[in-house]
Amino acid sequence: MSAPILHLDGLQMAFGAVQVLRGVDLTVREGESVAIIGPSGSGKSTLLRCLNRLETPTGGTVTFEGKAITETSDFNRLRMRMGMVFQHFNLFPHMTALGNVIEAPIHVLKQRRDEAEARGRDLLGKVGLLEKADAYPRQLSGGQKQRVAIARCMAMNPRLLLLDEITSALDPELVGEVLDVVRDLARQGMTMMLVTHEMRFAREVADRVVFMDGGVVVEAGPPEEIFTQPKSPRLRKFLTAVLEQVG
Amino acid sequence: MNDYLQLLQSYFPYIAKGAVVTLELTVLALLGSVVIGLSATFAKMSGLRIVGYIAGIYIELTRATPALLQLFIIYFGLTSFGIRLDPFTAAVITLSLVGGAYAAEIFRAGIEAVDRGQFEAARSLGMSTPLAMRRIILPQAGVIILPPFTNFIISMIKDTSLALTISVPEIMYRSYDASSQSYRSMAVYSMAAILYLAICLPLSRFAKSLERRRAAQ
């Protein structure tokens, strides 16, 4: 078994009086892809956002690459090592696809422009969008935007990738192309945590599935176990509801 | 008609020279407004309580008193403290202070109009707050700000006419002067109107076209 890269111990998060995370324990190992499923409002997205410190946890500890990030104040360094892809892409609209990809490598990693561009084109090629390098986000479809967003993340060579419902804002026929990219990354051994509503995809691509409800991890295990032999009644109820929807 | 042409000949060059002063006042006051406005905006957004508080007080006080009053305080009032400014400088300082408070509100609204996700995306890539501001937020805010800021420039041009009261030889001062010499108020002030319109109308056209283009997007 590979080394743990991320460890959460009793992670808590509250927005004012509303307790969103009530003590989450979780370990992610190098090269593992962990899918987080659960009903809306179960704290899945908040969990991811606590990891790269877009939200400030109110309790517990998070250890990333052996360092307690709940204590560190150098969030920029942390964020360079932990990429995030958002539901609504959040591409920079005033920059081309390539511009989006090379922005942080040039200004944060201080790479030379020609170096960053070569690598940026390479990454855009990997997500199948080399011919769109000079297109602006408004000229791209949702699926294409999200693939650029993934390339933008990968340009920072992150150790861990956080994918926050990255297909939820897409038209159904565009979901596949984005999932293909994620599938490739998982195969190449990228460590990732993905919050998703795509059960079939979670089952296919994840090494482990974590079911969250009410701000805690209710059940976790290999996808086969979670989807075919759910133990807790809450997970059983959730799966019945979502699988019925899919039909 | 002949008579008007004659008046035009004798007074228009004199008043038109005032347009240069008006534009000088405008440009300098705009520069001052942008510097003060950006400082006040960042002070308010800094999260530093006291700094934000001071910026808030400045904006409130400036917006709640007439610009003419502020001009008189700076030009006449400060002499009580031994500070004697020449009229042009006093006008630039006052208009910068007044403009800064309005500009700060325009900038803040523009920055807040940029989707929050943009800042999060920038931060999640390891960009510092100043870097994210400079590279990601401000360029987008700039596009949003452009139409209201153009309107702000137009008000600034018109507000420079206040400097008449402390004898800065801009358009209004010179037309007032010409009018009292010639006793032909209507003719003289219509010349001033033509000058203001010539400067402001193209700007307001520009602002409208910007707004239309944004609405179309």
Side-chain angles (χ1 to χ4, degrees), chain A residues 192-211:
Chain A
M192 56 177 105
M193 288 175 77
L194 52 143
V195 167
T196 184
H197 292 296
E198 307 279 339
M199 295 304 146
R200 211 174 299 162
F201 183 68
R203 186 167 180 170
E204 178 206 323
V205 88
D207 301 306
R208 202 147 47 90
V209 175
V210 173
F211 171 63

Side-chain angles (χ1 to χ4, degrees), chain A residues 49 76 79 90-91 94 103, chain B residues 117-118 120 123-124 135:
Chain A
R49 294 166 61 86
N76 295 336
R79 289 171 182 139
N90 299 351
L91 287 186
H94 56 305
E103 177 65 15
Chain B
Q118 290 291 310
E120 292 190 343
R123 296 291 274 141
S124 79
R135 296 284 312 168

Side-chain angles (χ1 to χ4, degrees), chain A residues 81-100:
Chain A
R81 316 274 302 151
M82 208 190 275
M84 184 174 236
V85 183
F86 300 86
Q87 183 179 355
H88 294 288
F89 332 124
N90 299 351
L91 287 186
F92 307 134
H94 56 305
M95 297 177 183
T96 62
L98 185 63
N100 268 273

